[in-house]
Amino acid sequence: MTLSPHRRLAVGAVLVAAIAGGAVAPATTAQAAPATTAQAAPATSVAAHTATPAPDMEGVAAALNAAMASGAPGAMARFTGPEGVQARTAGVRDRDSGAAMDTRARFRIGSVSKTFSSVVLLQLVDEGRLELDAPVNRYLPGLLPDDRITVRHLLTHRSGLADYTEKMFAHTVPGFESVRNRVFGYQELLDLSLSEPRTTEPGAAYKYSNANFVVVGMLIEEITGKPVGREYERRIIKPLRLRNTAYVHPDTRIKGLHVRGYLHPDEAGAPLVDSTEQTVSWAQSAGAVISDPADLNTFMTALMRGRLLSPQALEAMTTVTPTDATNTRFYGLGLRRYDLSCGAQVYGHTGTVQGYYTYAFATRDGRRSLSAMANTSNRGAANTALGGSLEAAFCGKKPAAAAPSSRAARDVPVAPAEADLPERR
């Protein structure tokens, strides 16, 4: 498949200065009855000289069921590897109708949208229209109060711009209802951030902030002269034939077969809130994409195989720094890296938007990928449980007996999920 013309541009001296410092398996799915599980597929190598374990799809199913036990009405996962596709589902995609979870259904992917935005911005770097280490104010004069904040600082969450969602969703359901149908301009969202104290000096430390990717959206639209959704479509969605992926803003609907999302209130015992319909205008280029498991597998696989970026840009994107003290979680340019208990390293992003948790990850060679979703939010235990699908898919079954000194063989507990949005429960 031939991609858009920017892929064929030679990388010039501007790109080098700025960046310094296959076929996808066919989609075949089978569905499971509510609260049970469904299907299965193999894998390939984690790294050279390391045998690749077969995915533990029963372990994936257990992670989905654990997410349900922690409050999700349903969950699903889809794994792709050299030998094909395997899927698992659990619970329901619609509490009212009782319709079973379905891997063909679309849902809101939240902050996985940040990887889409990063790809578009890095393509502009590939085209020589942007420099990673240039000040943001070079392209958007006077936008930010500090000329030291660079494009790279935005993509790595090291700008120091405060995350306006902390105050916006201080009370989860009232905060959500106040913005559910609201349409923001980018500048309005940035102003909310700038009204708060900055969190760090530019470049000093990682501090996740949705404001960074609001500015990324502003950059994309300034440089291309086109809406960010159109650039997603032209540069990613159409070339990869992502038929169930779209940037949906400010329309509140998810068209076609879809999963309904359910938000947990802060108060224990309060009923779930159906949060499916919303503008997601509070996020936009930080989180307003809708997709399905097959398209997410295709996207992450294509990205890791170098089909969307030059080798230099992909190297920059996958150059990571730690985000916590566990030394297992890292962030690059709009991309997370998780180091799993078996030594496997997977790249992708997590996503949280009201009513949905998402994981979309692939190995660096792009030969294996996993997408997983649970239809709830403001329930950290459900998000953490869903994250256990990564260990099962990429590390396989845990050995029945293992030497105490072997980290790869130990039953390593799943670390708490990283928060892409403020959570109170």
Side-chain angles (χ1 to χ4, degrees):
M1 173 171 52
T2 302
L3 298 184
S4 54
H6 73 273
R7 290 290 324 281
R8 298 191 294 272
L9 291 173
V11 179
V14 172
L15 169 63
V16 175
I19 287 183
V24 177
T28 58
T29 59
Q31 301 308 316
T36 61
T37 50
Q39 216 188 96
T44 183
S45 65
V46 171
H49 314 303
T50 302
T52 301
D56 175 13
M57 295 308 294
E58 297 317 306
V60 170
L64 304 184
N65 286 320
M68 285 186 61
S70 296
M76 61 179 165
R78 185 179 186 274
F79 178 85
T80 66
E83 297 178 30
V85 177
Q86 297 185 68
R88 289 288 188 272
T89 62
V92 298
R93 63 178 177 84
D94 186 325
R95 296 177 74 221
D96 289 339
S97 70
M101 187 58 72
D102 190 328
T103 57
R104 299 168 299 176
R106 307 168 82 207
F107 52 90
R108 301 189 186 279
I109 66 173
S111 288
V112 180
S113 306
K114 291 179 171 68
T115 305
F116 282 75
S117 296
S118 293
V119 167
V120 172
L121 208 65
L122 287 169
Q123 286 182 355
L124 295 173
V125 173
D126 274 340
E127 295 165 13
R129 301 166 72 181
L130 187 78
E131 293 182 31
L132 278 175
D133 293 311
V136 172
N137 284 349
R138 174 188 296 181
Y139 307 103
L140 295 166
L143 181 74
L144 300 181
D146 193 329
D147 286 338
R148 296 175 298 166
I149 298 174
T150 68
V151 176
R152 191 189 298 271
H153 290 151
L154 300 176
L155 296 177
T156 56
H157 292 290
R158 290 174 176 269
S159 69
L161 295 175
D163 191 346
Y164 56 87
T165 65
E166 291 286 346
K167 180 175 283 188
M168 183 179 285
F169 302 124
H171 301 288
T172 302
V173 172
F176 167 65
E177 294 294 0
S178 72
V179 300
R180 181 198 280 262
N181 295 304
R182 186 167 171 182
V183 178
F184 290 93
Y186 280 129
Q187 187 65 54
E188 288 180 90
L189 296 175
L190 180 59
D191 288 346
L192 291 175
S193 171
L194 295 178
S195 69
E196 299 293 320
R198 280 189 273 161
T199 57
T200 68
E201 290 294 305
Y206 169 88
K207 181 66 175 175
Y208 193 91
S209 173
N210 287 284
N212 290 315
F213 279 79
V214 166
V215 181
V216 167
M218 297 174 82
L219 282 169
I220 290 170
E221 295 194 352
E222 174 67 21
I223 292 168
T224 66
K226 301 291 193 304
V228 70
R230 192 174 302 175
E231 292 302 299
Y232 290 157
E233 185 78 20
R234 183 172 76 88
R235 295 169 176 271
I236 301 172
I237 294 171
K238 283 187 176 179
L240 297 181
R241 300 179 184 175
L242 305 180
R243 294 182 176 87
N244 287 309
T245 300
Y247 178 71
V248 182
H249 173 264
D251 193 347
T252 62
R253 298 166 297 164
I254 305 177
K255 295 179 180 178
L257 182 70
H258 63 275
V259 179
R260 300 201 70 83
Y262 300 95
L263 175 62
H264 278 269
D266 296 337
E267 300 78 21
L272 295 177
V273 174
D274 187 326
S275 52
T276 310
E277 279 79 35
Q278 62 161 307
T279 62
V280 198
S281 194
W282 61 265
Q284 300 188 48
S285 49
V289 174
I290 290 169
S291 191
D292 72 357
D295 279 5
L296 289 178
N297 287 146
T298 298
F299 171 58
M300 288 302 176
T301 295
L303 176 59
M304 289 297 102
R305 289 183 177 179
R307 293 176 59 197
L308 293 171
L309 297 172
S310 69
Q312 294 91 338
L314 185 55
E315 177 67 21
M317 192 179 200
T318 55
T319 299
V320 299
T321 54
T323 61
D324 62 18
T326 68
N327 206 35
T328 62
R329 291 170 171 180
F330 305 82
Y331 207 89
L333 304 182
L335 197 70
R336 296 193 187 279
R337 190 185 89 192
Y338 284 177
D339 291 3
L340 305 178
S341 66
C342 59
Q345 295 179 342
V346 293
Y347 294 81
H349 216 290
T350 52
T352 302
V353 63
Q354 289 87 356
Y356 305 91
Y357 289 129
T358 303
Y359 287 76
F361 284 82
T363 52
R364 181 61 182 82
D365 59 11
R367 287 171 60 83
R368 297 184 294 152
S369 69
L370 179 84
S371 54
M373 187 279 306
N375 57 342
T376 198
S377 67
N378 197 35
R379 197 71 164 190
N383 195 11
T384 296
L386 185 68
S389 61
L390 296 174
E391 282 280 334
F394 293 106
C395 289
K397 289 186 180 293
K398 299 289 183 185
S405 62
S406 173
R407 180 176 185 267
R410 291 200 303 269
D411 186 14
V412 178
V414 177
E418 293 186 284
D420 294 320
L421 200 62
E423 300 223 322
R424 311 304 167 192
R425 295 196 67 192

